[in-house]
mmCIF file of all heavy atoms in Angstrom:
data_model
loop_
_atom_site.group_PDB
_atom_site.id
_atom_site.type_symbol
_atom_site.label_atom_id
_atom_site.label_comp_id
_atom_site.label_asym_id
_atom_site.label_seq_id
_atom_site.Cartn_x
_atom_site.Cartn_y
_atom_site.Cartn_z
ATOM 1 N N LEU A 33 -4.422 30.796 -8.731
ATOM 2 C CA LEU A 33 -4.100 31.884 -9.684
ATOM 3 C C LEU A 33 -4.492 33.232 -9.031
ATOM 4 O O LEU A 33 -5.440 33.354 -8.354
ATOM 5 C CB LEU A 33 -4.788 31.719 -10.974
ATOM 6 C CG LEU A 33 -4.402 30.587 -11.888
ATOM 7 C CD1 LEU A 33 -5.355 30.477 -13.000
ATOM 8 C CD2 LEU A 33 -2.959 30.687 -12.313
ATOM 9 N N SER A 34 -3.691 34.235 -9.314
ATOM 10 C CA SER A 34 -4.102 35.574 -8.791
ATOM 11 C C SER A 34 -5.219 36.075 -9.735
ATOM 12 O O SER A 34 -5.340 35.699 -10.932
ATOM 13 C CB SER A 34 -2.974 36.549 -8.919
ATOM 14 O OG SER A 34 -2.614 36.822 -10.187
ATOM 15 N N LEU A 35 -6.118 36.881 -9.153
ATOM 16 C CA LEU A 35 -7.280 37.385 -9.929
ATOM 17 C C LEU A 35 -6.808 38.240 -11.086
ATOM 18 O O LEU A 35 -7.387 38.137 -12.211
ATOM 19 C CB LEU A 35 -8.187 38.171 -9.015
ATOM 20 C CG LEU A 35 -9.520 38.716 -9.689
ATOM 21 C CD1 LEU A 35 -10.322 37.506 -10.183
ATOM 22 C CD2 LEU A 35 -10.275 39.468 -8.668
ATOM 23 N N ALA A 36 -5.824 39.083 -10.877
ATOM 24 C CA ALA A 36 -5.329 40.002 -11.925
ATOM 25 C C ALA A 36 -4.762 39.131 -13.093
ATOM 26 O O ALA A 36 -4.932 39.444 -14.296
ATOM 27 C CB ALA A 36 -4.243 40.917 -11.383
ATOM 28 N N GLY A 37 -3.943 38.099 -12.722
ATOM 29 C CA GLY A 37 -3.357 37.221 -13.800
ATOM 30 C C GLY A 37 -4.472 36.470 -14.555
ATOM 31 O O GLY A 37 -4.339 36.170 -15.751
ATOM 32 N N ALA A 38 -5.564 36.070 -13.874
ATOM 33 C CA ALA A 38 -6.587 35.334 -14.544
ATOM 34 C C ALA A 38 -7.401 36.231 -15.552
ATOM 35 O O ALA A 38 -7.898 35.706 -16.496
ATOM 36 C CB ALA A 38 -7.515 34.679 -13.535
ATOM 37 N N LEU A 39 -7.597 37.458 -15.161
ATOM 38 C CA LEU A 39 -8.407 38.343 -15.931
ATOM 39 C C LEU A 39 -7.696 39.025 -17.064
ATOM 40 O O LEU A 39 -8.273 39.443 -18.044
ATOM 41 C CB LEU A 39 -9.110 39.444 -15.036
ATOM 42 C CG LEU A 39 -10.037 38.889 -14.013
ATOM 43 C CD1 LEU A 39 -10.623 39.981 -13.163
ATOM 44 C CD2 LEU A 39 -11.220 38.148 -14.697
ATOM 45 N N ARG A 40 -6.354 39.126 -16.939
ATOM 46 C CA ARG A 40 -5.589 39.803 -17.994
ATOM 47 C C ARG A 40 -5.551 38.959 -19.287
ATOM 48 O O ARG A 40 -5.092 37.843 -19.213
ATOM 49 C CB ARG A 40 -4.202 40.142 -17.533
ATOM 50 C CG ARG A 40 -3.435 40.990 -18.456
ATOM 51 C CD ARG A 40 -2.071 41.473 -17.882
ATOM 52 N NE ARG A 40 -2.320 42.280 -16.741
ATOM 53 C CZ ARG A 40 -1.527 42.305 -15.668
ATOM 54 N NH1 ARG A 40 -0.468 41.543 -15.669
ATOM 55 N NH2 ARG A 40 -1.779 43.043 -14.623
ATOM 56 N N THR A 41 -5.913 39.535 -20.322
ATOM 57 C CA THR A 41 -5.954 38.810 -21.584
ATOM 58 C C THR A 41 -4.878 39.332 -22.567
ATOM 59 O O THR A 41 -4.734 38.672 -23.589
ATOM 60 C CB THR A 41 -7.376 38.882 -22.279
ATOM 61 O OG1 THR A 41 -7.633 40.287 -22.448
ATOM 62 C CG2 THR A 41 -8.470 38.216 -21.415
ATOM 63 N N THR A 42 -4.242 40.397 -22.227
ATOM 64 C CA THR A 42 -3.245 40.909 -23.154
ATOM 65 C C THR A 42 -1.944 41.085 -22.415
ATOM 66 O O THR A 42 -1.994 40.963 -21.165
ATOM 67 C CB THR A 42 -3.623 42.298 -23.687
ATOM 68 O OG1 THR A 42 -3.621 43.186 -22.654
ATOM 69 C CG2 THR A 42 -4.899 42.232 -24.552
ATOM 70 N N THR A 43 -0.878 41.332 -23.109
ATOM 71 C CA THR A 43 0.383 41.544 -22.433
ATOM 72 C C THR A 43 0.606 43.017 -22.075
ATOM 73 O O THR A 43 1.588 43.285 -21.340
ATOM 74 C CB THR A 43 1.526 41.109 -23.348
ATOM 75 O OG1 THR A 43 1.492 41.891 -24.557
ATOM 76 C CG2 THR A 43 1.434 39.598 -23.615
ATOM 77 N N GLN A 44 -0.317 43.920 -22.451
ATOM 78 C CA GLN A 44 -0.131 45.343 -22.119
ATOM 79 C C GLN A 44 -0.533 45.494 -20.607
ATOM 80 O O GLN A 44 -1.448 44.843 -20.154
ATOM 81 C CB GLN A 44 -1.038 46.145 -22.960
ATOM 82 C CG GLN A 44 -0.630 46.159 -24.417
ATOM 83 C CD GLN A 44 -1.533 47.092 -25.262
ATOM 84 O OE1 GLN A 44 -2.675 47.374 -24.828
ATOM 85 N NE2 GLN A 44 -1.120 47.476 -26.387
ATOM 86 N N PRO A 45 0.101 46.462 -19.982
ATOM 87 C CA PRO A 45 -0.276 46.727 -18.577
ATOM 88 C C PRO A 45 -1.732 47.252 -18.551
ATOM 89 O O PRO A 45 -2.185 47.933 -19.483
ATOM 90 C CB PRO A 45 0.680 47.853 -18.162
ATOM 91 C CG PRO A 45 1.801 47.777 -19.130
ATOM 92 C CD PRO A 45 1.304 47.172 -20.390
ATOM 93 N N VAL A 46 -2.427 46.990 -17.468
ATOM 94 C CA VAL A 46 -3.806 47.480 -17.331
ATOM 95 C C VAL A 46 -3.966 48.977 -17.448
ATOM 96 O O VAL A 46 -4.890 49.488 -17.968
ATOM 97 C CB VAL A 46 -4.393 46.909 -15.975
ATOM 98 C CG1 VAL A 46 -5.803 47.491 -15.762
ATOM 99 C CG2 VAL A 46 -4.334 45.475 -15.951
ATOM 100 N N ALA A 47 -2.936 49.756 -16.882
ATOM 101 C CA ALA A 47 -3.120 51.206 -16.897
ATOM 102 C C ALA A 47 -3.104 51.788 -18.313
ATOM 103 O O ALA A 47 -3.677 52.808 -18.606
ATOM 104 C CB ALA A 47 -1.951 51.810 -16.105
ATOM 105 N N GLU A 48 -2.519 51.074 -19.249
ATOM 106 C CA GLU A 48 -2.431 51.702 -20.589
ATOM 107 C C GLU A 48 -3.730 51.345 -21.394
ATOM 108 O O GLU A 48 -3.999 51.949 -22.439
ATOM 109 C CB GLU A 48 -1.335 51.036 -21.360
ATOM 110 C CG GLU A 48 0.011 51.502 -20.879
ATOM 111 C CD GLU A 48 1.105 50.877 -21.652
ATOM 112 O OE1 GLU A 48 0.949 50.440 -22.839
ATOM 113 O OE2 GLU A 48 2.235 50.740 -21.151
ATOM 114 N N ARG A 49 -4.623 50.460 -20.923
ATOM 115 C CA ARG A 49 -5.866 50.084 -21.614
ATOM 116 C C ARG A 49 -7.101 50.786 -20.968
ATOM 117 O O ARG A 49 -8.156 50.318 -21.208
ATOM 118 C CB ARG A 49 -6.075 48.638 -21.632
ATOM 119 C CG ARG A 49 -5.009 47.918 -22.407
ATOM 120 C CD ARG A 49 -5.368 46.448 -22.650
ATOM 121 N NE ARG A 49 -6.698 46.225 -23.141
ATOM 122 C CZ ARG A 49 -7.057 46.234 -24.464
ATOM 123 N NH1 ARG A 49 -6.128 46.432 -25.402
ATOM 124 N NH2 ARG A 49 -8.325 45.992 -24.791
ATOM 125 N N THR A 50 -6.859 51.848 -20.224
ATOM 126 C CA THR A 50 -8.032 52.538 -19.706
ATOM 127 C C THR A 50 -7.959 53.933 -20.299
ATOM 128 O O THR A 50 -7.136 54.371 -20.931
ATOM 129 C CB THR A 50 -7.894 52.634 -18.168
ATOM 130 O OG1 THR A 50 -6.664 53.301 -17.858
ATOM 131 C CG2 THR A 50 -7.919 51.263 -17.535
ATOM 132 N N GLY A 51 -9.074 54.609 -20.057
ATOM 133 C CA GLY A 51 -9.238 56.032 -20.570
ATOM 134 C C GLY A 51 -10.269 56.141 -21.639
ATOM 135 O O GLY A 51 -10.769 55.081 -22.131
ATOM 136 N N PHE A 52 -10.505 57.379 -22.004
ATOM 137 C CA PHE A 52 -11.495 57.643 -22.996
ATOM 138 C C PHE A 52 -11.197 57.031 -24.364
ATOM 139 O O PHE A 52 -12.104 56.422 -24.988
ATOM 140 C CB PHE A 52 -11.628 59.168 -23.136
ATOM 141 C CG PHE A 52 -12.579 59.576 -24.199
ATOM 142 C CD1 PHE A 52 -13.992 59.431 -23.977
ATOM 143 C CD2 PHE A 52 -12.177 60.097 -25.440
ATOM 144 C CE1 PHE A 52 -14.881 59.819 -24.948
ATOM 145 C CE2 PHE A 52 -13.057 60.468 -26.332
ATOM 146 C CZ PHE A 52 -14.473 60.340 -26.187
ATOM 147 N N TRP A 53 -9.993 57.178 -24.868
ATOM 148 C CA TRP A 53 -9.629 56.766 -26.188
ATOM 149 C C TRP A 53 -9.669 55.275 -26.287
ATOM 150 O O TRP A 53 -10.052 54.698 -27.289
ATOM 151 C CB TRP A 53 -8.272 57.365 -26.679
ATOM 152 C CG TRP A 53 -8.395 58.806 -26.830
ATOM 153 C CD1 TRP A 53 -7.762 59.755 -26.016
ATOM 154 C CD2 TRP A 53 -9.227 59.540 -27.625
ATOM 155 N NE1 TRP A 53 -8.128 60.991 -26.359
ATOM 156 C CE2 TRP A 53 -9.026 60.911 -27.421
ATOM 157 C CE3 TRP A 53 -10.105 59.219 -28.726
ATOM 158 C CZ2 TRP A 53 -9.664 61.884 -28.105
ATOM 159 C CZ3 TRP A 53 -10.754 60.249 -29.390
ATOM 160 C CH2 TRP A 53 -10.539 61.568 -29.050
ATOM 161 N N TRP A 54 -9.215 54.525 -25.278
ATOM 162 C CA TRP A 54 -9.249 53.077 -25.261
ATOM 163 C C TRP A 54 -10.705 52.589 -25.245
ATOM 164 O O TRP A 54 -11.083 51.667 -25.915
ATOM 165 C CB TRP A 54 -8.540 52.451 -24.148
ATOM 166 C CG TRP A 54 -7.091 52.333 -24.399
ATOM 167 C CD1 TRP A 54 -6.058 53.179 -23.920
ATOM 168 C CD2 TRP A 54 -6.440 51.425 -25.201
ATOM 169 N NE1 TRP A 54 -4.851 52.827 -24.415
ATOM 170 C CE2 TRP A 54 -5.020 51.712 -25.215
ATOM 171 C CE3 TRP A 54 -6.853 50.347 -25.966
ATOM 172 C CZ2 TRP A 54 -4.098 50.992 -25.905
ATOM 173 C CZ3 TRP A 54 -5.878 49.643 -26.640
ATOM 174 C CH2 TRP A 54 -4.544 49.910 -26.609
ATOM 175 N N THR A 55 -11.518 53.215 -24.464
ATOM 176 C CA THR A 55 -12.988 52.873 -24.349
ATOM 177 C C THR A 55 -13.604 53.143 -25.712
ATOM 178 O O THR A 55 -14.375 52.305 -26.203
ATOM 179 C CB THR A 55 -13.653 53.690 -23.278
ATOM 180 O OG1 THR A 55 -12.989 53.473 -22.049
ATOM 181 C CG2 THR A 55 -15.104 53.260 -23.189
ATOM 182 N N LEU A 56 -13.329 54.250 -26.318
ATOM 183 C CA LEU A 56 -13.911 54.575 -27.599
ATOM 184 C C LEU A 56 -13.416 53.536 -28.683
ATOM 185 O O LEU A 56 -14.208 53.014 -29.559
ATOM 186 C CB LEU A 56 -13.483 55.923 -28.043
ATOM 187 C CG LEU A 56 -14.332 56.555 -29.262
ATOM 188 C CD1 LEU A 56 -15.729 56.661 -28.939
ATOM 189 C CD2 LEU A 56 -13.662 57.915 -29.550
ATOM 190 N N ARG A 57 -12.110 53.164 -28.686
ATOM 191 C CA ARG A 57 -11.627 52.153 -29.625
ATOM 192 C C ARG A 57 -12.286 50.771 -29.432
ATOM 193 O O ARG A 57 -12.695 50.187 -30.383
ATOM 194 C CB ARG A 57 -10.115 52.034 -29.466
ATOM 195 C CG ARG A 57 -9.510 51.271 -30.515
ATOM 196 C CD ARG A 57 -8.039 50.857 -30.317
ATOM 197 N NE ARG A 57 -8.019 49.404 -30.317
ATOM 198 C CZ ARG A 57 -7.434 48.727 -29.412
ATOM 199 N NH1 ARG A 57 -6.811 49.238 -28.405
ATOM 200 N NH2 ARG A 57 -7.522 47.363 -29.477
ATOM 201 N N ASP A 58 -12.451 50.374 -28.174
ATOM 202 C CA ASP A 58 -13.074 49.141 -27.895
ATOM 203 C C ASP A 58 -14.556 49.140 -28.267
ATOM 204 O O ASP A 58 -15.076 48.157 -28.764
ATOM 205 C CB ASP A 58 -12.975 48.793 -26.375
ATOM 206 C CG ASP A 58 -11.512 48.415 -26.018
ATOM 207 O OD1 ASP A 58 -10.746 48.067 -26.955
ATOM 208 O OD2 ASP A 58 -11.204 48.419 -24.799
ATOM 209 N N LEU A 59 -15.178 50.226 -28.068
ATOM 210 C CA LEU A 59 -16.610 50.403 -28.437
ATOM 211 C C LEU A 59 -16.799 50.230 -29.887
ATOM 212 O O LEU A 59 -17.666 49.504 -30.366
ATOM 213 C CB LEU A 59 -17.175 51.699 -27.987
ATOM 214 C CG LEU A 59 -18.609 52.068 -28.380
ATOM 215 C CD1 LEU A 59 -19.591 51.141 -27.670
ATOM 216 C CD2 LEU A 59 -18.909 53.540 -28.141
ATOM 217 N N PHE A 60 -15.998 50.880 -30.717
ATOM 218 C CA PHE A 60 -16.146 50.854 -32.122
ATOM 219 C C PHE A 60 -15.641 49.603 -32.838
ATOM 220 O O PHE A 60 -15.718 49.392 -34.020
ATOM 221 C CB PHE A 60 -15.605 52.188 -32.810
ATOM 222 C CG PHE A 60 -16.530 53.245 -32.718
ATOM 223 C CD1 PHE A 60 -16.317 54.332 -31.853
ATOM 224 C CD2 PHE A 60 -17.687 53.277 -33.556
ATOM 225 C CE1 PHE A 60 -17.235 55.352 -31.808
ATOM 226 C CE2 PHE A 60 -18.642 54.276 -33.385
ATOM 227 C CZ PHE A 60 -18.366 55.345 -32.540
ATOM 228 N N GLN A 61 -15.059 48.680 -32.001
ATOM 229 C CA GLN A 61 -14.742 47.400 -32.579
ATOM 230 C C GLN A 61 -15.964 46.489 -32.579
ATOM 231 O O GLN A 61 -15.915 45.378 -33.180
ATOM 232 C CB GLN A 61 -13.643 46.722 -31.771
ATOM 233 C CG GLN A 61 -12.306 47.409 -32.056
ATOM 234 C CD GLN A 61 -11.105 46.769 -31.234
ATOM 235 O OE1 GLN A 61 -11.401 45.983 -30.318
ATOM 236 N NE2 GLN A 61 -9.890 47.124 -31.644
ATOM 237 N N ARG A 62 -16.998 46.902 -31.925
ATOM 238 C CA ARG A 62 -18.233 46.154 -31.935
ATOM 239 C C ARG A 62 -19.082 46.411 -33.143
ATOM 240 O O ARG A 62 -19.304 47.586 -33.468
ATOM 241 C CB ARG A 62 -19.039 46.377 -30.659
ATOM 242 C CG ARG A 62 -18.333 46.009 -29.407
ATOM 243 C CD ARG A 62 -19.072 46.360 -28.191
ATOM 244 N NE ARG A 62 -18.260 46.156 -27.075
ATOM 245 C CZ ARG A 62 -18.730 45.683 -25.905
ATOM 246 N NH1 ARG A 62 -19.975 45.450 -25.727
ATOM 247 N NH2 ARG A 62 -17.912 45.523 -24.901
#
Side-chain angles (χ1 to χ4, degrees):
L33 292 173
S34 68
L35 183 59
L39 294 178
R40 188 173 298 145
T41 59
T42 65
T43 59
Q44 294 179 340
V46 175
E48 292 181 23
R49 292 190 53 88
T50 60
F52 176 75
W53 295 111
W54 278 102
T55 303
L56 194 63
R57 192 190 118 226
D58 289 343
L59 175 68
F60 279 106
Q61 286 181 349
R62 299 175 187 218

